[in-house]
Amino acid sequence: MKQTYRKRAALFEVKKTILVVDDEPINRDILSAILKEDFEVIEADDGKVALDILLKEEQKIDLVLLDVFMPYDGREVLKQRQQNPKLKKVPFIVCTSDKNIEKECFHLGVNDFVKKPYENPDIIIARIKRMIELYEDRSILKEVKREKLTNFYNREFFKKYAQQFDSLYPDLKKDMVALSVNRFRLINELYGRDFGDKVLLAITSTLNKHLENCRAIIGKDGGSTFIVYSEHKDSYEDLVKEINASIKNIGGIGISIRAGVYPFVDPDMDKEIVIDRTEDTMDSSINDYSKKITIYNEEKQAKTLHLEELVNNFEQALDEEQFKLYFQPKYNITGEKPSLTSAEVLVRWISPKFGFVNPGEFINLFEENGLISQLDSYIFKKAAMYMGEWKKKYGKAIPLSLNLSRVDIYRPTLVEDIIELVDSNGVPRKDYFIEITESAFVEDAKEVIPVITKIRNSGFKVEIDDFGSGYSSFGALADLPFDVLKIDMQFIKAMDRNPKVRDIIKMIINLSKTMDTITVAEGVETKEHYEFLKESGCDVIQGYYLSKPLPLEDFVKLIEKEFN
Ligand code: C2E
Ligand code: CA
Ligand code: CA
């Protein structure tokens, strides 16, 4: 019996749950013994208790076996059921040997009867199964549990059954697997839906066949995504290979799938999250058809999620002024003692959610999705405002350097915007320095040079940042529009390890002198750095040796001390 049931089910089917209601413990025991192979059994010793269980819905009851003579009478339960649509959804079988009672119960809407005493277990089981099927077929018409084409569970039911799968096999190690057809939407568009369906059906039958002897449940999550919750396997290579073989030749256009695996699912984790993560893992290789299976990697995933969160919080952070300007002083070292000349503005994100975030974490990210433009606009504006305030207060402007992203270059009104905000704050344009990294100059020369030239011709100063990292030829340097050359801090770092680097630094400083530009060294961390740079004729230094980037209040204190 059990064997054939298994076979028909092929894959894992959740056991149906039967509520046995009888006040005689012995009757409950007998029924439980008969049913427990094929069903989950819950017992209630009274009609009232049964109603409680049914209405609470902590567990889905698929059928009720009801005794009649109990302190809270079975007929009373049936009467309640007639008035409650929720209870009507569950089939009721009454256990009795009394013909009159049968008649009465029949009028109360009962679905079937089994005879007491329980002499023929097989018949009881068959009746119960038939009744459940009948009811399910009825309810399927109302709530769609399976996807039409593949007959796999939809996401909602898949989740439910995955949960039940866990309670049924609590000690079994399980994996969540997601599979999707590469470029499925395109395939559908180019070759039509019927063609797409053919592909999905081929995958369906391969999945069914491959997982036949496995404890697994299969779901379909929209579009072309299949989800499998299965007992753990060391590898899904074979499965993916088989599926790919089964679809490769459909229409002769070389179709393939990608897969994501979340191994050893923690049964306590919300299935919604597990499925999402598995699908995200699968999609991480969406543009790489050579990568067939991607295994979930907690660290990587956490990082991706973190970046996503940063992006999602951007607008609010900007509104709430969570982005703060820090100021790293730059010192002129051509005199006897270093003297404060200006500062570089460096952004910090001080977030109630993430704490103190360094630009290293988000500048690249915001460059990728274009948010950097909004951020830089904000920083540029704030900087001009502070400069205006200080000029009023101290009688002279303190020059500031602003970092311009290469993405900003593509904003058509960039130069006009900068002019507007600098002029409107009464700041001399010559005190407003724009830093742009050398690699942007070199790699996007065609777009960058005209804009930077315009900035410079408008009276602002331009610094080439990270010089030496972008491999521009020294010859080409002469044609670039800039006023300050900032040596890449890697050279200063490397100086300690490799004495030859000192020669390179000297060469850059001399090069800068021949072009009449000011040389700045950043990342100056030690007295030794400072002395070497001073000796070599470097004009300005910036680095932890003299000062870290400072928050507004500290920088204001510093300028008051220096300028008053
Ligand atoms: P950068 O323009 O090369 O800025 C110099 C970086 O070196 C800063 O890192 C600064 O804090 C750090 N630094 C300063 N002195 C020392 C030192 O002595 N030793 C070492 N090891 N490091 C030092 P930060 O602030 O994390 O900024 C990183 C990068 O983010 C910047 O590199 C810049 O490219 C970008 N960035 C920062 N603020 C902005 C901004 O407002 N807009 C744009 N577009 N980019 C920004
Ligand atoms: Ca910079
Ligand atoms: Ca730099």
Side-chain angles (χ1 to χ4, degrees):
M1 183 75 203
K2 198 174 161 209
Q3 200 50 41
T4 52
Y5 178 58
R6 268 269 168 82
K7 220 170 183 174
R8 181 170 57 83
L11 292 160
F12 166 80
E13 284 274 354
V14 179
K15 275 190 185 177
K16 304 297 181 200
T17 304
I18 312 291
L19 177 62
V20 171
V21 194
D22 201 311
D23 57 335
E24 295 287 340
I26 179 75
N27 283 340
R28 295 200 302 270
D29 286 350
I30 295 170
L31 272 177
S32 290
I34 293 173
L35 300 175
K36 72 168 188 264
E37 278 276 295
D38 295 81
F39 304 100
E40 292 285 322
V41 180
I42 296 180
E43 298 183 12
D45 59 6
D46 181 50
K48 190 100 190 102
V49 178
L51 282 173
D52 276 352
I53 294 175
L54 284 161
L55 290 171
K56 244 199 231 140
E57 265 194 315
E58 264 163 19
Q59 175 140 21
K60 183 176 180 288
I61 306 293
D62 295 289
L63 185 137
V64 180
L65 281 174
L66 185 70
D67 178 32
V68 175
F69 302 111
M70 295 180 288
Y72 188 100
D73 198 281
R75 283 162 295 193
E76 195 47 47
V77 176
L78 291 173
K79 276 181 202 157
Q80 297 282 329
R81 177 179 178 243
Q82 281 188 311
Q83 282 149 36
N84 188 326
K86 210 187 228 164
L87 295 179
K88 272 194 204 160
K89 281 188 191 159
V90 184
F92 275 58
I93 294 181
V94 160
C95 311
T96 181
S97 48
D98 184 330
K99 279 281 163 207
N100 286 327
I101 294 286
E102 273 190 22
K103 209 163 153 190
E104 201 182 334
C105 289
F106 192 69
H107 287 297
L108 289 171
V110 78
N111 303 94
D112 202 355
F113 302 93
V114 297
K115 245 192 192 61
K116 269 184 176 173
Y118 308 114
E119 278 162 356
N120 201 334
D122 280 353
I123 287 182
I124 296 175
I125 289 170
R127 278 206 169 162
I128 289 175
K129 280 191 178 161
R130 200 199 56 185
M131 188 52 66
I132 291 175
E133 265 175 24
L134 219 76
Y135 255 65
E136 274 202 335
D137 287 348
R138 244 175 53 175
S139 63
I140 271 174
L141 294 176
K142 291 193 199 118
E143 53 181 341
V144 190
K145 196 175 185 179
R146 289 172 187 273
E147 201 227 23
K148 236 197 201 136
L149 183 74
T150 61
N151 204 33
F152 291 144
Y153 297 123
N154 64 27
R155 186 177 168 116
E156 271 322 293
F157 280 90
F158 177 82
K159 254 173 17 197
K160 253 188 224 166
Y161 287 149
Q163 211 62 53
Q164 293 190 25
F165 190 51
D166 280 337
S167 30
L168 196 61
Y169 302 109
D171 298 323
L172 189 71
K173 303 263 179 280
K174 302 172 207 88
D175 309 329
M176 188 71 78
V177 183
L179 310 146
S180 224
V181 180
N182 290 322
R183 294 174 303 174
F184 188 67
R185 201 185 297 172
L186 190 74
I187 291 170
N188 257 340
E189 260 168 39
L190 290 178
Y191 303 96
R193 278 192 80 90
D194 286 350
F195 185 89
D197 284 356
K198 230 191 241 170
V199 176
L200 296 179
L201 283 174
I203 298 174
T204 302
S205 81
T206 313
L207 272 173
N208 273 327
K209 212 163 61 207
H210 191 97
L211 297 170
E212 196 169 31
N213 298 313
C214 244
R215 279 171 289 186
I217 52 174
I218 310 180
K220 178 84 195 317
D221 190 13
S224 76
T225 302
F226 295 81
I227 29 183
V228 180
Y229 194 43
S230 156
E231 63 185 286
H232 172 73
K233 285 174 175 231
D234 286 335
S235 162
Y236 289 88
E237 295 274 339
D238 286 353
L239 174 64
V240 170
K241 244 188 222 157
E242 255 178 66
I243 292 178
N244 276 334
S246 74
I247 57 178
K248 189 175 73 195
N249 293 323
I250 301 178
I253 56 168
I255 305 164
S256 65
I257 60 160
R258 61 181 181 283
V261 179
Y262 188 117
F264 302 114
V265 174
D266 173 356
D268 292 334
M269 237 173 94
D270 184 354
K271 291 291 177 295
E272 183 76 24
I273 295 173
V274 179
I275 295 171
D276 277 349
R277 288 191 183 172
T278 312
E279 291 181 352
D280 286 349
T281 303
M282 167 183 83
D283 284 337
S284 67
S285 70
I286 200 159
N287 294 315
D288 179 3
Y289 301 147
S290 68
K291 181 143 193 193
K292 304 216 157 35
I293 302 177
T294 315
I295 311 286
Y296 173 79
N297 172 330
E298 189 145 19
E299 238 171 77
K300 214 169 110 189
Q301 179 76 10
K303 216 169 141 193
T304 317
L305 278 180
H306 178 63
L307 295 183
E308 231 167 74
E309 267 211 290
L310 292 182
V311 172
N312 291 338
N313 280 273
F314 176 80
E315 296 283 348
Q316 193 186 354
L318 202 60
D319 282 352
E320 292 177 359
E321 310 222 325
Q322 291 173 15
F323 293 104
K324 301 287 180 203
L325 279 67
Y326 270 53
F327 303 84
Q328 187 172 34
K330 291 181 175 177
Y331 290 87
N332 187 308
I333 56 167
T334 55
E336 205 176 303
K337 271 198 327 203
S339 69
L340 181 69
T341 61
S342 62
E344 176 177 6
V345 175
L346 294 160
V347 64
R348 299 287 179 267
W349 183 354
I350 297 165
S351 150
K353 197 162 175 186
F354 313 110
F356 191 95
V357 197
N358 270 308
E361 269 188 66
F362 58 81
I363 295 289
N364 279 345
L365 176 72
F366 292 166
E367 285 186 331
E368 275 167 25
N369 53 31
L371 292 176
I372 193 71
S373 257
Q374 282 180 67
L375 179 60
D376 281 346
S377 289
Y378 172 80
I379 301 288
F380 277 43
K381 187 166 148 200
K382 280 272 170 189
M385 280 164 53
Y386 291 137
M387 286 170 88
E389 277 172 31
W390 297 334
K391 184 156 182 280
K392 267 194 211 132
K393 209 163 159 193
Y394 308 117
K396 64 173 172 178
I398 294 109
L400 292 181
S401 305
L402 283 303
N403 286 288
L404 187 78
S405 160
R406 71 180 73 197
V407 177
D408 296 326
I409 294 288
Y410 297 90
R411 196 165 78 222
T413 58
L414 175 73
V415 186
E416 287 73 20
D417 291 350
I418 299 177
I419 291 175
E420 207 314 280
L421 62 93
V422 170
D423 290 359
S424 68
N425 282 289
V427 173
R429 293 186 192 175
K430 69 165 179 44
D431 289 329
Y432 206 80
F433 285 66
I434 303 293
E435 289 191 17
I436 180 146
T437 191
E438 183 200 8
S439 60
F441 254 126
V442 179
E443 287 158 18
D444 303 326
K446 245 184 36 217
E447 292 80 17
V448 171
I449 290 175
V451 177
I452 294 295
T453 307
K454 196 169 162 194
I455 289 178
R456 210 164 157 246
N457 290 343
S458 309
F460 302 101
K461 297 281 184 235
V462 171
E463 291 184 56
I464 295 196
D465 202 356
D466 312 317
F467 182 78
S469 67
Y471 307 106
S472 58
S473 71
F474 287 176
L477 202 61
D479 296 329
L480 295 184
F482 69 97
D483 308 276
V484 179
L485 190 152
K486 205 170 185 185
I487 305 169
D488 187 33
M489 97 170 84
Q490 294 313 316
F491 290 109
I492 313 298
K493 274 209 179 108
M495 198 172 98
D496 304 330
R497 276 182 280 122
N498 185 348
K500 273 192 209 149
V501 174
R502 291 168 183 253
D503 296 335
I504 300 178
I505 296 173
K506 273 189 190 154
M507 202 176 74
I508 296 176
I509 294 172
N510 288 331
L511 187 76
S512 174
K513 279 197 193 310
T514 59
M515 288 186 298
D516 263 342
T517 51
I518 293 168
T519 322
V520 179
E522 66 178 331
V524 177
E525 292 184 349
T526 63
K527 190 159 188 261
E528 205 199 344
H529 292 160
Y530 160 65
E531 278 168 358
F532 168 75
L533 289 161
K534 187 171 160 61
E535 247 168 60
S536 309
C538 180
D539 303 302
V540 175
I541 63 166
Q542 175 188 347
Y544 298 166
Y545 176 60
L546 292 175
S547 175
K548 293 204 163 185
L550 304 171
L552 179 67
E553 316 78 66
D554 292 356
F555 184 62
V556 168
K557 273 185 210 146
L558 184 75
I559 45 183
E560 283 184 346
K561 211 174 80 194
E562 293 270 339
F563 290 158
N564 271 342

